Amino acid sequence: MNLSVRDADVLELMDDPDCDPDRLAATLRRFDAVNRLWSGWGATYRRRLRPFLASLGRPARVLDLGSGGGDLVVRLARLAQRDGLDVRWIGADPDPRAHAIAAERAAHGIEFRRTDAAELLAEGARFDAVVSNHVLHHLTPAGLASFAAESLDLADGIVVHSDIRRSRLAYGLYAVGVTPLAPGTFLRTDGLRSIRRSYLPGELAGALGPRWRVESGSPFRVVAVGRKDA
């Protein structure tokens, strides 16, 4: 397996609109466990999101763009509540299959909408912060440019996009570590394909352009941080 070059041609099974619906639903539901182990959002919340939200001194609105099954929204909401922050959380995803799973997790202060950035902009929606998890590597170059620009246009404050960082170590550890969670899902196949599709920090910085600061969130993560006025 050559991981020195990003493989933008390999496709993930769950991106197929005709993929097995039961396996897709199981995958979306088990992302909660996988993301707790691999996504690094606990540290990203503490370093990036919590200080910004606390600095506002008022209730905030945060959008998770491409929220999938909704697990990140629920996790961030719990962290913010623990820290005494008053936040309204909105997860947006245009895929009806993902939205159906996410809607099961709706609760007080947590809303899921079947929509995308373009529709939200057309409504005039604005948010204090916009985040995403594991979205960037799915996108074509044109799609990445649009997604990045639209996320900045939706945010009055900070934008944080977190994704996988491609490496042999990540590939090997994930291949072994996900095995107990993988039966009946796309987790193993798609996770490994995601790593093959993912960016190194320099690659992502070049793709996003100068309005973004790209850094390593951990040995397995790449994080892009932007502001509209930057």
Coordinates of all heavy atoms in Angstrom, one line a residue, residues 24-99:
L24 N -25.3 0.6 6.3 CA -25.0 2.0 6.4 C -25.5 2.5 7.8 O -24.8 3.3 8.5 CB -25.7 2.8 5.3 CG -25.6 4.3 5.4 CD1 -24.2 4.8 5.3 CD2 -26.5 4.9 4.3
A25 N -26.7 2.1 8.2 CA -27.3 2.6 9.4 C -26.4 2.1 10.6 O -26.1 2.9 11.5 CB -28.7 2.1 9.6
A26 N -25.9 0.9 10.5 CA -25.1 0.4 11.6 C -23.8 1.2 11.6 O -23.2 1.4 12.7 CB -24.8 -1.1 11.4
T27 N -23.2 1.5 10.5 CA -22.0 2.3 10.4 C -22.2 3.6 11.0 O -21.4 4.1 11.9 CB -21.6 2.5 8.9 OG1 -21.4 1.2 8.3 CG2 -20.3 3.3 8.8
L28 N -23.3 4.3 10.7 CA -23.5 5.7 11.2 C -23.7 5.6 12.7 O -23.2 6.5 13.5 CB -24.7 6.3 10.6 CG -24.6 6.6 9.1 CD1 -25.9 6.9 8.4 CD2 -23.6 7.8 8.9
R29 N -24.3 4.6 13.2 CA -24.6 4.5 14.7 C -23.3 4.2 15.4 O -23.1 4.7 16.6 CB -25.6 3.5 15.0 CG -27.0 3.9 14.5 CD -28.1 3.0 15.1 NE -29.4 3.5 14.7 CZ -30.2 3.0 13.8 NH1 -29.7 2.0 13.0 NH2 -31.4 3.5 13.5
R30 N -22.4 3.4 14.8 CA -21.1 3.1 15.5 C -20.0 4.1 15.3 O -19.0 4.0 15.9 CB -20.6 1.7 15.0 CG -21.5 0.6 15.5 CD -21.0 -0.8 15.1 NE -22.1 -1.8 15.1 CZ -22.0 -3.0 14.7 NH1 -20.8 -3.5 14.2 NH2 -23.0 -3.8 14.7
F31 N -20.3 5.1 14.5 CA -19.3 6.2 14.4 C -19.0 6.9 15.7 O -17.9 7.4 16.0 CB -19.8 7.3 13.4 CG -19.4 7.0 12.0 CD1 -20.1 7.5 10.9 CD2 -18.2 6.3 11.7 CE1 -19.8 7.2 9.6 CE2 -17.8 6.1 10.4 CZ -18.6 6.6 9.3
D32 N -20.0 6.8 16.6 CA -19.8 7.4 17.9 C -18.6 6.8 18.6 O -17.7 7.5 19.1 CB -21.1 7.2 18.8 CG -21.0 8.0 20.1 OD1 -20.1 8.8 20.3 OD2 -21.8 7.7 21.0
A33 N -18.5 5.5 18.7 CA -17.4 4.8 19.3 C -16.1 5.0 18.5 O -15.1 5.3 19.1 CB -17.7 3.3 19.4
V34 N -16.2 5.0 17.2 CA -15.0 5.2 16.4 C -14.4 6.6 16.6 O -13.2 6.8 16.8 CB -15.3 4.9 14.9 CG1 -14.1 5.2 14.0 CG2 -15.6 3.4 14.7
N35 N -15.3 7.6 16.5 CA -14.8 8.9 16.6 C -14.3 9.3 18.0 O -13.4 10.1 18.1 CB -16.0 9.9 16.3 CG -16.2 10.0 14.8 OD1 -15.3 9.8 14.0 ND2 -17.4 10.2 14.4
R36 N -14.8 8.7 19.0 CA -14.3 8.9 20.4 C -12.8 8.4 20.4 O -12.0 9.0 21.2 CB -15.1 8.2 21.4 CG -16.4 8.9 21.7 CD -17.2 8.2 22.8 NE -18.5 8.9 23.0 CZ -18.6 10.0 23.9 NH1 -17.5 10.3 24.6 NH2 -19.7 10.6 24.0
L37 N -12.5 7.3 19.7 CA -11.2 6.8 19.7 C -10.2 7.5 18.8 O -9.0 7.6 19.1 CB -11.2 5.3 19.3 CG -11.9 4.3 20.3 CD1 -12.1 3.0 19.7 CD2 -11.1 4.2 21.6
W38 N -10.7 8.0 17.7 CA -9.9 8.5 16.6 C -10.0 9.9 16.2 O -9.0 10.5 15.6 CB -10.1 7.6 15.3 CG -9.6 6.2 15.4 CD1 -10.3 5.1 15.9 CD2 -8.4 5.7 15.0 NE1 -9.5 4.0 15.8 CE2 -8.3 4.4 15.3 CE3 -7.2 6.3 14.4 CZ2 -7.2 3.6 15.0 CZ3 -6.1 5.6 14.2 CH2 -6.1 4.2 14.4
S39 N -11.0 10.6 16.6 CA -11.3 11.9 16.0 C -10.5 13.0 16.6 O -10.3 14.1 16.0 CB -12.8 12.3 16.0 OG -13.2 12.6 17.3
G40 N -10.1 12.9 17.9 CA -9.4 13.9 18.6 C -10.2 15.1 18.9 O -9.6 16.2 19.2
W41 N -11.5 15.0 18.9 CA -12.3 16.2 19.1 C -12.3 16.7 20.6 O -12.6 17.9 20.8 CB -13.8 16.0 18.6 CG -13.9 16.5 17.2 CD1 -14.0 15.8 16.1 CD2 -14.1 17.9 16.8 NE1 -14.1 16.6 15.0 CE2 -14.2 17.9 15.4 CE3 -14.1 19.1 17.5 CZ2 -14.3 19.1 14.7 CZ3 -14.2 20.3 16.8 CH2 -14.3 20.3 15.4
G42 N -12.0 15.9 21.5 CA -11.9 16.3 22.9 C -10.8 17.4 23.0 O -11.0 18.5 23.6
A43 N -9.6 17.1 22.4 CA -8.6 18.1 22.4 C -8.9 19.3 21.6 O -8.6 20.5 21.9 CB -7.3 17.5 22.0
T44 N -9.5 19.1 20.4 CA -9.9 20.2 19.5 C -10.9 21.1 20.2 O -10.8 22.4 20.1 CB -10.4 19.7 18.2 OG1 -9.4 18.9 17.6 CG2 -10.8 20.9 17.3
Y45 N -11.9 20.6 20.9 CA -12.8 21.4 21.7 C -12.1 22.2 22.7 O -12.3 23.4 22.8 CB -13.9 20.5 22.3 CG -14.7 21.1 23.3 CD1 -15.8 22.0 23.0 CD2 -14.4 21.0 24.7 CE1 -16.5 22.6 23.9 CE2 -15.2 21.6 25.7 CZ -16.2 22.4 25.3 OH -17.0 23.1 26.2
R46 N -11.2 21.6 23.5 CA -10.6 22.3 24.6 C -9.6 23.4 24.0 O -9.6 24.5 24.6 CB -9.7 21.3 25.4 CG -10.6 20.4 26.2 CD -9.7 19.6 27.2 NE -8.7 18.8 26.6 CZ -8.9 17.5 26.2 NH1 -10.1 17.0 26.3 NH2 -8.0 16.8 25.6
R47 N -9.0 23.2 22.9 CA -8.0 24.1 22.4 C -8.6 25.2 21.6 O -8.2 26.4 21.6 CB -6.9 23.4 21.6 CG -6.0 22.5 22.3 CD -4.9 22.0 21.4 NE -4.2 23.0 20.7 CZ -3.6 22.9 19.5 NH1 -3.6 21.7 18.9 NH2 -2.9 23.9 19.0
R48 N -9.7 24.9 20.8 CA -10.2 25.8 19.8 C -11.6 26.3 20.1 O -11.9 27.5 20.1 CB -10.2 25.1 18.4 CG -8.9 24.8 17.9 CD -8.0 26.0 17.6 NE -6.7 25.6 17.2 CZ -5.7 26.5 17.1 NH1 -5.9 27.8 17.4 NH2 -4.5 26.1 16.6
L49 N -12.5 25.4 20.4 CA -13.9 25.7 20.4 C -14.3 26.3 21.8 O -15.0 27.3 21.9 CB -14.8 24.5 20.1 CG -16.2 24.8 19.5 CD1 -16.1 25.7 18.3 CD2 -16.8 23.4 19.2
R50 N -13.9 25.7 22.9 CA -14.3 26.1 24.2 C -13.8 27.5 24.5 O -14.6 28.4 24.9 CB -13.8 25.2 25.3 CG -14.2 25.6 26.7 CD -13.8 24.6 27.7 NE -12.4 24.4 27.8 CZ -11.8 23.5 28.6 NH1 -12.6 22.6 29.3 NH2 -10.5 23.3 28.6
P51 N -12.5 27.9 24.2 CA -12.1 29.3 24.5 C -12.9 30.3 23.7 O -13.2 31.4 24.2 CB -10.6 29.2 24.1 CG -10.2 27.8 24.2 CD -11.4 27.0 23.8
F52 N -13.2 30.0 22.4 CA -14.0 30.9 21.6 C -15.4 31.1 22.1 O -15.8 32.2 22.3 CB -14.0 30.4 20.1 CG -15.0 31.2 19.3 CD1 -14.6 32.5 18.9 CD2 -16.2 30.7 19.0 CE1 -15.5 33.3 18.1 CE2 -17.1 31.5 18.2 CZ -16.8 32.7 17.8
L53 N -16.1 30.0 22.4 CA -17.4 30.1 22.9 C -17.5 30.8 24.3 O -18.4 31.6 24.5 CB -18.0 28.7 23.0 CG -18.2 27.9 21.7 CD1 -18.7 26.5 22.0 CD2 -19.2 28.6 20.8
A54 N -16.5 30.5 25.1 CA -16.5 31.2 26.4 C -16.2 32.7 26.3 O -16.7 33.5 27.1 CB -15.4 30.6 27.3
S55 N -15.5 33.1 25.3 CA -15.2 34.5 25.1 C -16.3 35.3 24.6 O -16.3 36.6 24.8 CB -14.0 34.7 24.0 OG -14.5 34.4 22.7
L56 N -17.4 34.7 24.1 CA -18.5 35.4 23.6 C -19.3 36.1 24.7 O -19.9 37.2 24.5 CB -19.5 34.5 22.8 CG -18.9 33.9 21.5 CD1 -19.9 32.9 20.9 CD2 -18.5 35.0 20.5
G57 N -19.4 35.4 25.8 CA -20.2 36.0 27.0 C -21.6 36.0 26.7 O -22.3 36.8 27.4
R58 N -22.2 35.2 25.9 CA -23.6 35.1 25.6 C -23.9 33.8 25.0 O -23.0 33.0 24.6 CB -23.9 36.2 24.5 CG -23.1 36.1 23.3 CD -23.7 37.0 22.2 NE -22.8 37.1 21.0 CZ -22.7 36.1 20.1 NH1 -23.5 35.0 20.2 NH2 -21.9 36.2 19.0
P59 N -25.2 33.4 24.8 CA -25.5 32.2 24.1 C -25.0 32.1 22.7 O -24.9 33.2 22.0 CB -27.1 32.2 24.1 CG -27.4 33.1 25.3 CD -26.4 34.1 25.4
A60 N -24.6 31.0 22.3 CA -24.0 30.8 20.9 C -24.8 29.8 20.1 O -25.5 29.0 20.6 CB -22.5 30.4 21.1
R61 N -24.5 29.9 18.8 CA -25.1 28.9 17.8 C -23.9 28.3 17.1 O -23.1 29.0 16.5 CB -26.0 29.6 16.8 CG -27.4 29.8 17.4 CD -28.2 30.8 16.5 NE -28.1 30.6 15.1 CZ -29.0 29.8 14.5 NH1 -29.9 29.1 15.1 NH2 -28.9 29.6 13.1
V62 N -23.8 27.0 17.1 CA -22.8 26.2 16.4 C -23.4 25.3 15.4 O -24.3 24.5 15.7 CB -21.9 25.5 17.4 CG1 -20.8 24.7 16.7 CG2 -21.2 26.5 18.4
L63 N -22.8 25.3 14.2 CA -23.2 24.4 13.1 C -22.2 23.3 12.8 O -21.0 23.6 12.7 CB -23.4 25.2 11.8 CG -23.7 24.4 10.5 CD1 -25.1 23.8 10.6 CD2 -23.6 25.4 9.3
D64 N -22.6 22.1 12.8 CA -21.8 21.0 12.3 C -22.2 20.7 10.9 O -23.3 20.2 10.6 CB -22.0 19.7 13.2 CG -21.2 18.5 12.7 OD1 -20.3 18.7 11.8 OD2 -21.4 17.4 13.3
L65 N -21.4 21.0 9.9 CA -21.7 20.9 8.5 C -21.3 19.5 8.0 O -20.1 19.2 8.0 CB -21.0 22.0 7.8 CG -21.5 22.5 6.4 CD1 -23.0 22.8 6.4 CD2 -20.7 23.7 5.9
G66 N -22.2 18.8 7.5 CA -22.0 17.4 7.1 C -22.0 16.5 8.3 O -21.0 15.8 8.5
S67 N -23.0 16.6 9.1 CA -23.0 16.0 10.5 C -23.2 14.5 10.5 O -23.1 13.9 11.6 CB -24.0 16.7 11.3 OG -25.3 16.7 10.7
G68 N -23.5 13.9 9.4 CA -23.7 12.4 9.3 C -24.7 12.0 10.3 O -25.8 12.5 10.4
G69 N -24.3 11.0 11.1 CA -25.2 10.4 12.1 C -25.4 11.2 13.4 O -26.1 10.8 14.3
G70 N -24.7 12.4 13.5 CA -25.0 13.3 14.6 C -24.2 13.1 15.8 O -24.4 13.8 16.8
D71 N -23.2 12.1 15.9 CA -22.5 11.9 17.1 C -21.7 13.0 17.6 O -21.5 13.2 18.8 CB -21.7 10.6 17.0 CG -20.6 10.7 15.9 OD1 -21.0 10.6 14.7 OD2 -19.5 10.8 16.3
L72 N -21.0 13.7 16.6 CA -20.2 14.8 17.1 C -21.0 15.9 17.7 O -20.6 16.5 18.8 CB -19.4 15.4 15.9 CG -18.5 16.6 16.2 CD1 -17.4 16.2 17.2 CD2 -17.9 17.2 15.0
V73 N -22.1 16.3 17.2 CA -23.0 17.3 17.8 C -23.3 16.9 19.2 O -23.2 17.8 20.1 CB -24.3 17.5 16.9 CG1 -25.2 18.4 17.7 CG2 -23.9 18.1 15.6
V74 N -23.7 15.7 19.4 CA -24.1 15.3 20.8 C -22.9 15.3 21.7 O -23.0 15.8 22.9 CB -24.7 13.9 20.7 CG1 -24.9 13.3 22.1 CG2 -26.0 13.9 19.9
R75 N -21.8 14.9 21.2 CA -20.6 14.9 22.1 C -20.2 16.3 22.5 O -19.9 16.7 23.6 CB -19.4 14.2 21.4 CG -18.2 14.1 22.3 CD -17.0 13.4 21.5 NE -15.9 13.4 22.4 CZ -14.7 13.0 21.9 NH1 -14.5 12.7 20.6 NH2 -13.6 13.0 22.7
L76 N -20.1 17.2 21.5 CA -19.8 18.6 21.8 C -20.8 19.3 22.7 O -20.4 20.1 23.5 CB -19.6 19.4 20.5 CG -18.4 19.0 19.6 CD1 -18.4 19.8 18.3 CD2 -17.1 19.1 20.3
A77 N -22.1 19.0 22.5 CA -23.1 19.6 23.3 C -22.9 19.2 24.8 O -23.0 20.0 25.7 CB -24.5 19.1 22.8
R78 N -22.5 17.9 25.0 CA -22.3 17.5 26.4 C -21.1 18.1 27.0 O -21.1 18.5 28.2 CB -22.1 15.9 26.4 CG -23.4 15.2 26.1 CD -23.1 13.7 25.9 NE -24.4 12.9 25.7 CZ -24.4 11.7 25.3 NH1 -23.3 11.1 25.0 NH2 -25.6 11.1 25.1
L79 N -20.0 18.3 26.2 CA -18.8 19.0 26.7 C -19.1 20.4 27.1 O -18.7 20.9 28.1 CB -17.7 18.9 25.7 CG -17.1 17.5 25.4 CD1 -16.1 17.6 24.2 CD2 -16.4 17.0 26.6
A80 N -19.9 21.1 26.2 CA -20.2 22.5 26.5 C -21.1 22.7 27.7 O -20.9 23.6 28.5 CB -20.9 23.1 25.2
Q81 N -22.1 21.8 27.8 CA -23.0 21.8 29.0 C -22.2 21.6 30.2 O -22.4 22.3 31.3 CB -24.0 20.8 28.8 CG -25.1 20.8 29.9 CD -26.2 19.7 29.8 OE1 -25.9 18.6 29.3 NE2 -27.4 20.1 30.1
R82 N -21.2 20.7 30.2 CA -20.4 20.4 31.4 C -19.6 21.7 31.8 O -19.4 21.9 33.0 CB -19.4 19.3 31.1 CG -18.5 18.9 32.2 CD -17.3 18.1 31.7 NE -16.5 18.8 30.8 CZ -15.5 18.3 30.1 NH1 -15.3 17.0 30.1 NH2 -14.8 19.1 29.3
D83 N -19.2 22.5 30.8 CA -18.5 23.7 31.0 C -19.3 24.9 31.3 O -18.8 26.0 31.4 CB -17.5 24.0 29.8 CG -16.4 22.9 29.7 OD1 -16.0 22.4 30.7 OD2 -15.9 22.7 28.6
G84 N -20.6 24.7 31.4 CA -21.5 25.8 31.7 C -21.8 26.7 30.5 O -22.2 27.9 30.8
L85 N -21.6 26.3 29.3 CA -21.7 27.2 28.1 C -23.1 27.0 27.6 O -23.6 25.8 27.4 CB -20.7 26.8 27.1 CG -19.2 27.0 27.5 CD1 -18.3 26.5 26.4 CD2 -18.9 28.5 27.7
D86 N -23.8 28.1 27.2 CA -25.1 28.1 26.6 C -25.0 28.1 25.1 O -24.7 29.1 24.5 CB -25.9 29.3 27.1 CG -27.3 29.3 26.7 OD1 -27.8 28.4 25.9 OD2 -28.1 30.2 27.1
V87 N -25.2 26.9 24.5 CA -25.0 26.8 23.1 C -26.2 26.0 22.4 O -26.7 25.0 23.0 CB -23.7 25.9 22.8 CG1 -23.5 25.9 21.3 CG2 -22.5 26.5 23.5
R88 N -26.6 26.5 21.3 CA -27.6 25.9 20.5 C -26.8 25.2 19.4 O -26.1 25.8 18.6 CB -28.6 26.9 19.8 CG -29.6 26.3 18.9 CD -30.7 25.5 19.6 NE -31.7 25.0 18.7 CZ -32.7 24.2 19.1 NH1 -32.9 24.0 20.4 NH2 -33.6 23.7 18.3
W89 N -27.0 23.9 19.2 CA -26.2 23.0 18.3 C -27.1 22.6 17.1 O -28.2 22.1 17.3 CB -25.7 21.8 19.0 CG -24.8 22.1 20.1 CD1 -25.1 22.3 21.4 CD2 -23.4 22.4 20.0 NE1 -24.0 22.7 22.1 CE2 -22.9 22.7 21.3 CE3 -22.4 22.3 19.0 CZ2 -21.6 22.9 21.6 CZ3 -21.1 22.6 19.3 CH2 -20.7 22.9 20.6
I90 N -26.6 22.8 15.9 CA -27.4 22.4 14.7 C -26.5 21.5 13.9 O -25.3 21.9 13.5 CB -27.8 23.6 13.9 CG1 -28.7 24.5 14.7 CG2 -28.5 23.2 12.6 CD1 -28.0 25.6 15.4
G91 N -26.9 20.3 13.5 CA -26.3 19.5 12.6 C -27.0 19.5 11.3 O -28.2 19.4 11.2
A92 N -26.2 19.7 10.2 CA -26.8 19.8 8.9 C -26.2 18.7 7.9 O -24.9 18.6 7.9 CB -26.6 21.2 8.3
D93 N -27.0 18.0 7.3 CA -26.5 17.0 6.3 C -27.6 16.8 5.3 O -28.8 16.5 5.6 CB -26.2 15.7 7.0 CG -25.3 14.8 6.2 OD1 -25.7 14.4 5.0 OD2 -24.2 14.5 6.6
P94 N -27.3 16.8 4.0 CA -28.3 16.7 3.0 C -28.7 15.3 2.7 O -29.7 15.0 2.0 CB -27.7 17.3 1.7 CG -26.2 17.1 1.9 CD -26.0 17.2 3.4
D95 N -28.0 14.3 3.2 CA -28.3 12.9 2.9 C -29.4 12.4 3.8 O -29.3 12.4 5.0 CB -27.0 12.0 3.2 CG -27.1 10.6 2.7 OD1 -28.3 10.1 2.8 OD2 -26.1 10.0 2.3
P96 N -30.5 12.0 3.2 CA -31.7 11.6 4.0 C -31.4 10.4 4.9 O -32.0 10.2 6.0 CB -32.8 11.3 3.0 CG -32.0 11.0 1.7 CD -30.8 11.9 1.7
R97 N -30.5 9.5 4.4 CA -30.1 8.3 5.2 C -29.4 8.7 6.5 O -29.7 8.2 7.6 CB -29.3 7.4 4.4 CG -29.9 7.0 3.0 CD -28.9 6.3 2.1 NE -27.7 7.2 1.9 CZ -26.6 6.8 1.3 NH1 -26.5 5.6 0.8 NH2 -25.6 7.7 1.1
A98 N -28.5 9.6 6.4 CA -27.7 10.1 7.6 C -28.7 10.9 8.5 O -28.6 10.8 9.7 CB -26.5 11.0 7.2
H99 N -29.5 11.8 7.9 CA -30.4 12.6 8.7 C -31.4 11.7 9.5 O -31.6 12.1 10.7 CB -31.2 13.5 7.7 CG -32.2 14.3 8.5 ND1 -31.9 15.4 9.3 CD2 -33.6 14.2 8.5 CE1 -33.0 15.9 9.8 NE2 -34.0 15.2 9.4

